[in-house]
Amino acid sequence: KKLGVALVGLGRYSTNELAVALQATQSCYLAGVVSGTPEKRDFWADQYNLKPENIYDYDNFDRIADNKDIDIVYVVLPNSMHAEFVIRAAQAGKHVICEKPLGISSAECLQMINACKKHGVKLSVGYRLHFDPYHQYLMQLSDKVQYLEASNGYTLKDHSEWRMDKSLAGGGALMNIGIYCLQSACYVTGKTPISVTAQATKTRPDLFKDIEETLSFQLQFDRGVSTNFVTSHQLPMNRLMAISEGREYTLSPAFSYRGIGKKYAFEQYKELSQQAAQMDDFATVIRKNKVSSVSGEMGLRDLRIIEAIYEAADARKPISISDKLYT
Ligand code: NAD
């Protein structure tokens, strides 16, 4: 039997990517939705032929506990709402996928992990690039990597959106897309960093008041590998370059949903739906009672690295993170 997924939050990522990817999965299907907007609930019910009893709003969501059609709750809300809905999903006995970043603080991530453990459900983070063949190739470089740089940025044009609001986003570009750079640092080297340095700059201080606009950071590992990363809500950038055993491996673009390596790549792979592969993998995790390769613990690790990066940018000095990580 295919596993039923309920999407929580019907914004752009659910609408344009996840709903489409669900049609391409082998082991999952869209079984329900959770939304605060009546028009969206009606539209999705109609569009995807959903049963009326599988449509929820944020208030009656907890009743999902009694719904046998729903195996997985996929939280796709603004970052500060992830913790509440992951914990409520766990309490309802449902396995959970949560979008990145897992939470807006490491403390929240820990609460989410503990709730899932307590209720015996699996937790994973929507780290789709782990299922992309280019990134999977780079993961094999691991110990041999000598240098890694990555940049991920775009010009955020709608200044009224939640990503500009610290209380909803938890931070700026780093929380939103810089997280892909630090993710790649960990999976390409196969390690977690031991310390970080970071520098914040603003080309538009008038727009970016309490959250970062452009942030450069460097991650130090317990062996000789140099790294450099930039993330921005103002500058368009999307590239990754590793040097391993003297050979260069560049991807451009590196972090997109589609067309990875379209401008430049070290290899050519067939296009696949990252999100379909990600959800099928989670279905296997559930069926075989395994731990997800993009686990809640990984989401927690990343929030700890993010917190250290913010601290380093403020303090203008290196911040050690070796004692703060989960492994
Ligand atoms: P979006 O703004 O398009 O959608 C957000 C949804 O949340 C909307 O349906 C909105 O109605 C709902 N919502 C509920 N309460 C809200 C509030 N107080 N303020 C604003 N919206 C509220 O955002 P999105 O791009 O779909 O992002 C949603 C989540 O998915 C974020 O955590 C984001 O980081 C993540 N995301 C991940 C990827 C990826 O590649 N993995 C890509 C895009 C977004």
Side-chain angles (χ1 to χ4, degrees):
K1 163 187 169 285
K2 287 190 173 194
L3 300 183
V5 176
L7 294 174
V8 187
L10 305 177
R12 284 161 289 182
Y13 194 54
S14 285
T15 307
N16 303 332
E17 305 301 332
L18 295 177
V20 182
L22 272 160
Q23 317 281 316
T25 58
Q26 313 267 307
S27 313
C28 303
Y29 73 103
L30 180 66
V33 290
V34 185
S35 168
T37 315
E39 297 76 36
K40 284 191 198 164
R41 294 197 294 267
D42 292 346
F43 176 83
W44 281 69
D46 192 44
Q47 178 90 356
Y48 293 103
N49 210 8
L50 302 173
K51 293 185 195 166
E53 62 270 29
N54 293 3
I55 316 278
Y56 296 87
D57 60 32
Y58 300 139
D59 295 327
N60 69 17
F61 167 66
D62 307 277
R63 281 196 230 142
I64 209 164
D66 304 320
N67 192 327
K68 299 247 177 323
D69 289 345
I70 314 285
D71 303 287
I72 299 168
V73 166
Y74 196 151
V75 179
V76 203
L77 289 163
N79 305 341
S80 69
M81 298 171 75
H82 292 179
E84 178 192 336
F85 282 86
V86 167
I87 292 167
R88 285 170 71 183
Q91 283 166 348
K94 302 299 176 186
H95 301 291
V96 198
I97 310 175
C98 180
E99 259 317 316
K100 42 55 62 177
L102 179 57
I104 59 169
S105 70
S106 56
E108 261 188 13
C109 295
L110 207 49
Q111 285 169 8
M112 294 150 95
I113 290 168
N114 287 340
C116 290
K117 273 196 193 135
K118 182 175 167 197
H119 295 281
V121 298
K122 305 283 183 194
L123 172 62
S124 77
V125 187
Y127 287 142
R128 56 185 166 78
L129 289 170
H130 282 253
F131 307 94
D132 170 80
Y134 291 95
H135 289 260
Q136 285 175 338
Y137 183 96
L138 293 172
M139 286 173 196
Q140 296 168 27
L141 301 178
S142 91
D143 284 349
K144 298 183 217 73
V145 178
Q146 298 154 304
Y147 177 76
L148 183 68
E149 66 177 43
S151 54
N152 198 8
Y154 66 97
T155 311
L156 196 157
K157 294 209 174 79
D158 176 6
H159 302 129
S160 64
E161 82 154 291
W162 63 265
R163 284 182 175 81
M164 292 296 283
D165 180 342
K166 192 173 184 182
S167 66
L168 286 165
L174 178 61
M175 280 279 181
N176 187 25
I177 47 175
I179 192 166
Y180 288 104
C181 298
L182 67 91
Q183 264 276 305
S184 66
C186 296
Y187 59 66
V188 176
T189 61
K191 297 244 175 193
T192 50
I194 57 167
S195 70
V196 308
T197 45
Q199 308 80 33
T201 49
K202 288 186 187 184
T203 63
R204 291 293 306 270
D206 54 319
L207 294 177
F208 297 91
K209 296 205 167 72
D210 60 346
I211 50 171
E212 79 279 7
E213 176 208 296
T214 299
L215 193 69
S216 302
F217 58 96
Q218 302 76 37
L219 305 177
Q220 288 85 42
F221 292 86
D222 65 357
R223 64 178 185 83
V225 50
S226 312
T227 69
N228 201 18
F229 307 98
V230 192
T231 186
S232 177
H233 269 164
Q234 201 58 29
L235 312 173
M237 307 176 281
N238 192 332
R239 189 174 173 277
L240 183 151
M241 193 265 273
I243 295 178
S244 175
E245 296 185 293
R247 188 186 154 189
E248 179 192 315
Y249 297 83
T250 293
L251 278 182
S252 170
F255 304 109
S256 309
Y257 306 140
R258 281 169 287 278
I260 291 201
K262 208 169 161 190
K263 283 192 211 148
Y264 194 86
F266 50 85
E267 189 61 81
Q268 289 303 323
Y269 292 108
K270 214 169 133 240
E271 184 93 42
L272 99 178
S273 164
Q274 299 161 9
Q275 295 90 347
Q278 172 208 320
M279 289 188 269
D280 277 335
D281 180 78
F282 193 54
T284 305
V285 163
I286 294 168
R287 288 202 174 115
K288 300 205 166 153
N289 193 18
K290 297 196 307 184
V291 176
S292 170
S293 60
V294 288
S295 64
E297 282 80 1
M298 179 181 278
L300 166 64
R301 175 201 70 188
D302 293 348
L303 258 293
R304 285 181 169 158
I305 298 171
I306 286 174
E307 286 167 349
I309 293 172
Y310 283 136
E311 199 182 329
D314 278 350
R316 294 168 192 260
K317 61 171 198 194
I319 297 294
S320 163
I321 44 176
S322 51
D323 56 339
K324 295 181 181 168
L325 294 173
Y326 74 94
T327 46

